[in-house]
Amino acid sequence: MPDLHPVSRALLSVSDKTGLVELGHALAAHGVELLSTGGTAKALRDAGLAVKDVAEITGFPEMMDGRVKTLHPVVHGGLLALRDNKEHVAAMDAHDIGAIDLVVVNLYPFEETVAKGAEYAEVIENIDIGGPAMIRSAAKNHGFVNVVVDVEDYAVVIAELQAHDGQTSYALRQRLAQTAYARTAAYDTAVSTWMAAQVGDTPRRRTVGGTLAQTLRYGENPHQSAAFYTDGSNRPGVATAMQHQGKELSYNNINDTDAAYELVSEFDPAKGPACAIIKHANPCGVAHGTSMVDAYTRAFDCDRTSAFGGIIALNQELDAETAEAISAIFTEVVIAPGASDDAKAIFAKKKNLRLLTTDGLADPSAAALAFRQVSGGYLVQDKDVGRITMADLKVVTKRQPTDQELSDMMFAWTVAKHVKSNAIIYVKNGATVGVGAGQMSRVDSTRIAARKAQDMAEAMGLPAPLTQGSVVASDAFFPFADGLITAAQAGATALIQPGGSMRDDEVIAAADEAGLAMVFTGMRHFRH
């Protein structure tokens, strides 16, 4: 196969018309014959370009509501024929098949149709058949044929034609083919994932697709290469946010910012400001407040040491007062639904701080799939969207919790869902005052969280740790009474946990002896 190969004939059939006319003019300038279909042909003709309908070369009109138009030997023979194979060339001559050197297709908008909540029948009609078939034919024959599936590659093709007098290089055709196969794979992934949800069964085969959003400087560590791909779901968060300032996000920044925004999205902005501060994917402070700056300050006071160099997520617009407070320490990323002009001006002085805005919070109840790679495969599960209400709580102790304790327990339970197991969270008056995460022993998490609270009390000059009079949430049941006893020694007065241990009676008895109130949720929130 040749390195440079001329482009004499192109077939264009696109749903997204962005850049189409410019591409058409560039091809015509090199004497390329244009073939097209439907709306694409009309758009090119309206721009004054000469276009031949595919129906003219196939001898068949578009039919069945456009389902059949390019599925024809004249089209696929023109794409698949090896130009240096005498038998292929003879077959083309015998059947009047003209070579097609460039295919530009970007497929029916299936993903967008699903995202807007269309009815089943409309979604089905937006499954492209002819497009993927042409893409795969052209990509297989990339020794001679160019295939373009992304608008971003139009300029690349135009530049190549200009550089090589109407020809393209093998290196470009090979790269375009790889992109094309990835696109059809991602497209089929979207279709199969949607179909799996409609059927409701665990599918025998599962695929994952994505579009490159950013090539990262490195991964978790400098010796690891990495990239960031988006899945097209448009969920508000780090994948869809606008970055206003600062250097590009790193692998760890993206991971931690996602954790921060998913957590803060649990708190309805209509119920007041909330702030979450994340370090290494775990919250080191979460709080409600009377204002955004109050919420930030209360979250910061949970663990000022860990907050340094952390990620801050807000559930309401970032204002100037909060921006001033945040600017007092080094922060990697701040993410919020929006930011005032005054807040942006304040952050502009902090060149290393990244500010992201999302125009909305993520829906914490929206169903999704969560993936985790393991050696030789990956695990797939439903995203943890489990939530409880006050009505779900079962009081199991002699003492009933107070209204304030109930409110704090619900807050602590929400935070526990986003803390690595074994998770222990102390909360007082709508703010975390101690967080223990990721320990092999639940009692160790209880002790670590209490110790952090003690350290903060000493640093802030408080007479006693804020765990005095707090409530405690545990993401899973207490297997022994020792964790509960440790929490009581730290000053906790009430606990919320799933229940379900063989030693529940022992744990309840320890709570009663300590005068604690305890409730069971019947739900756990393991996060590994």
Side-chain angles (χ1 to χ4, degrees):
M1 64 187 69
D3 178 21
L4 293 176
H5 189 74
V7 176
S8 301
R9 206 172 188 218
L11 194 161
L12 301 90
S13 181
V14 296
S15 294
D16 180 359
K17 306 297 192 292
T18 304
L20 173 65
V21 171
E22 293 82 353
L23 176 62
H25 279 296
L27 294 173
H30 288 282
V32 179
E33 180 185 11
L34 303 182
L35 308 177
S36 193
T37 62
T40 305
K42 182 179 184 303
L44 292 169
R45 288 194 182 100
D46 289 347
L49 291 160
V51 182
K52 181 179 287 187
D53 284 320
V54 167
E56 291 183 51
I57 67 169
T58 63
F60 281 86
E62 293 185 20
M63 61 182 72
M64 302 177 185
D65 298 319
R67 285 188 171 202
V68 178
K69 50 191 174 186
T70 59
L71 297 169
H72 193 280
V74 171
V75 174
H76 287 273
L79 294 174
L80 285 165
L82 296 173
R83 315 300 201 255
D84 58 357
N85 183 304
K86 292 181 180 179
E87 293 182 0
H88 287 203
V89 173
M92 292 173 74
D93 291 341
H95 298 285
D96 196 22
I97 296 174
I100 299 172
D101 309 300
L102 169 66
V103 171
V104 182
V105 178
N106 56 35
L107 304 181
Y108 293 170
F110 176 84
E111 296 97 332
E112 293 85 348
T113 303
V114 171
K116 74 178 185 180
E119 295 294 326
Y120 189 93
E122 182 181 354
V123 174
I124 292 295
E125 286 307 310
N126 277 277
I127 299 175
D128 203 329
I129 302 300
M134 287 193 294
I135 289 171
R136 292 179 65 82
S137 291
K140 177 173 181 175
N141 203 22
H142 63 268
F144 304 95
V145 182
N146 304 269
V147 57
V148 179
V149 296
D150 292 330
V151 172
E152 294 87 344
D153 284 325
Y154 290 2
V156 177
V157 171
I158 292 171
E160 185 98 347
L161 293 172
Q162 291 173 341
H164 300 297
D165 193 24
Q167 303 179 96
T168 61
S169 65
Y170 178 72
L172 175 64
R173 297 192 299 274
Q174 188 178 43
R175 184 169 66 79
L176 292 173
Q178 185 279 322
T179 299
Y181 281 124
R183 175 63 186 120
T184 56
Y187 194 79
D188 285 341
T189 290
V191 175
S192 66
T193 299
W194 175 78
M195 286 295 295
Q198 307 308 305
V199 174
D201 293 336
T202 300
R204 181 182 300 113
R205 298 181 184 274
R206 168 86 65 186
T207 57
V208 182
T211 301
L212 180 66
Q214 181 184 345
T215 300
L216 303 173
R217 297 192 306 277
Y218 52 82
E220 283 186 284
N221 301 291
H223 62 274
Q224 295 172 269
S225 60
F228 180 34
Y229 290 83
T230 57
D231 63 9
S233 63
N234 292 320
R235 182 178 177 86
V238 65
T240 56
M242 174 183 291
Q243 183 170 344
H244 296 273
Q245 67 171 69
K247 60 186 177 181
E248 70 177 25
L249 297 170
S250 70
Y251 181 101
N252 293 328
N253 291 153
I254 292 170
N255 188 55
D256 289 352
T257 302
D258 177 66
Y261 210 63
E262 288 294 309
L263 171 50
V264 87
S265 291
E266 296 272 5
F267 301 106
D268 186 349
K271 296 181 179 179
C275 174
I277 306 174
I278 298 291
K279 196 69 170 290
H280 299 306
N282 274 308
C284 53
V286 187
H288 273 306
T290 55
S291 65
M292 189 53 70
V293 70
D294 180 50
Y296 164 70
T297 302
R298 301 183 77 222
F300 179 59
D301 285 345
C302 178
D303 186 352
R304 294 179 179 179
T305 301
S306 297
F308 184 85
I311 310 292
I312 297 174
L314 311 174
N315 74 337
Q316 294 181 2
E317 181 180 86
L318 171 70
D319 56 34
E321 186 178 7
T322 309
E324 286 283 11
I326 292 172
S327 294
I329 67 162
F330 170 60
T331 298
E332 290 275 9
V333 180
V334 175
I335 184 169
S340 70
D341 290 341
D342 289 342
K344 292 177 185 176
I346 292 167
F347 275 2
K349 303 171 186 176
K350 309 284 285 188
K351 65 178 182 178
N352 290 325
L353 187 153
R354 292 87 147 191
L355 171 62
L356 307 179
T357 58
T358 63
D359 292 328
L361 294 175
D363 180 358
S365 63
L369 294 176
F371 296 83
R372 169 97 26 117
Q373 184 181 12
V374 296
S375 297
Y378 53 92
L379 296 167
V380 183
Q381 65 174 345
D382 292 333
K383 183 180 177 67
D384 184 0
V385 296
R387 309 185 91 185
I388 61 170
T389 66
M390 290 284 192
D392 297 314
L393 301 181
K394 178 184 178 183
V395 180
V396 294
T397 50
K398 295 176 182 177
R399 185 171 83 75
Q400 296 286 317
T402 66
D403 289 344
Q404 182 61 55
E405 286 173 334
L406 283 171
S407 176
D408 282 346
M409 283 192 286
M410 292 295 288
F411 182 91
W413 183 250
T414 301
V415 175
K417 176 179 170 182
H418 295 265
V419 179
K420 299 290 185 182
S421 301
N422 287 310
I424 293 292
I425 299 88
Y426 292 82
V427 166
K428 186 174 183 179
N429 297 327
T432 57
V433 294
V435 177
Q439 298 304 304
M440 292 69 75
S441 162
R442 191 161 300 278
V443 69
D444 283 345
S445 289
T446 310
R447 290 170 178 153
I448 288 170
R451 178 66 204 187
K452 281 180 171 288
Q454 185 177 336
D455 291 344
M456 279 305 304
E458 294 173 0
M460 296 169 64
L462 301 177
L466 291 177
T467 49
Q468 295 290 327
S470 67
V471 306
V472 169
S474 173
D475 62 340
F477 59 64
F478 282 101
F480 301 98
D482 52 0
L484 179 144
I485 293 169
T486 300
Q489 291 171 342
T493 61
L495 297 97
I496 182 170
Q497 58 136 319
S501 168
M502 291 187 297
R503 294 182 174 82
D504 274 349
D505 290 344
E506 174 187 327
V507 175
I508 293 170
D512 284 336
E513 184 176 350
L516 306 178
M518 185 164 63
V519 300
F520 285 177
T521 65
M523 175 186 291
R524 79 177 188 196
H525 282 307
F526 270 158
R527 186 178 181 86
H528 293 103

